[in-house]
Amino acid sequence: MSVDRILLTNDDGVDAAGLRALHDALATEYAVTVVAPADDQSSVGRRLSDDVAVDDHELGYVLDGTPVDCVVAGLDELVPEADAVVAGCNEGANLGAYTLGRSGTVSAAVEAAFFDVPAVATSMYVPGGDDWWKREFAAADFAHAARATRYLVDEAVDAGVFERADYLNVNAPIADEDRAPLRVTTPSTWYGMRAERNGDGRVGFSDPIWGRMNDGDVPDPVGTDRRAVVDGEVSVSPLSVPHAAAPNAGLDDLADAYESAVRS
C-alpha cells in the first residue's frame, strides 16, 4: 500500500499553529485534506457527537465537533479515499500510558485504526510552568515534530509497520536544538495523579510529572516515551487499539458458576 491522500486533524482546533505546521510539511508530497474541530477539543478522548455542523475551509473542512467526529466524518463521508490519518501537532505532549485515552489527538488515531487506516498521532512537549499553554507558537517550533511525522508517513507504510501496529504515537521536543534523533519507545507505566480537597466543596487534581520533567528528574528508563523526550529525542511508540481481550483471565469458571450464584 502506498499513501497518496492524507486526512489531517487535531484537537487544538483548525487554526492551531501545529496543524498548519504538519499540513505544510506533508502537502509538498501528499494530497492533504484537513478535517478539524472548529475550536479547542483537548482531553475529550473518544467522545462522539450525535451529529455535527460541517463547513468548508481553505484546507478542507471544519466541524463543530470532536477529533473522533472528524475522523468518522472524514473517512466515511468527506474524504473516504484517504490512505492515512495524521492527528496533530498537539501543543503539549501525550506521554505515558495513562494519558493516551484522554487525548483527543491520540483518540483520532485510534479511531482511524478501527477503519483499518494507518494513523500517526503527533504531539510536541513544551517545558515550562503551569502557564506554558499560554505560549504563542511559530511554525519553526514544530520542526522536529513535522520532520519526524513526514518521515514516518513516507517510510512506515511501505516498511510494513502498520501490519504489526495499528497507530504510532509520536512525541517530539520543541525545536530549540538542531538535532532530535528518533527513538522507538513504549509508553511509560508510571502513574502519579494526585487529588486534594480545597475546603470549598471541591477536589483539585494535579500531575507532578510535569514539574519533574522540567528538572529532568523522571522515573522512566531509556526506551520509554517520557525519557526520550526529556533526553531531546523524538519518541515514536507503535501501539495497538485498546480493549483487546485477555483470554486466560480466570473468568471461565466464574462464568460457569454464574447462574447458580445469582439464584442463591
Side-chain angles (χ1 to χ4, degrees), residues 40 76 164 195:
D40 187 1
D76 201 49
R164 289 161 284 182

Side-chain angles (χ1 to χ4, degrees), residues 12 15-21 40 42 89-93 123-129 131-143 145 172-176:
D12 288 326
D15 295 321
L19 181 126
R20 177 66 75 162
D40 187 1
S42 297
C89 180
N90 193 61
E91 298 173 4
S123 304
M124 182 177 70
Y125 169 56
V126 184
D131 61 350
W132 67 265
W133 52 272
K134 296 180 180 178
R135 178 170 176 172
E136 294 292 329
F137 296 100
D141 294 325
F142 299 92
I174 195 167
D176 54 7

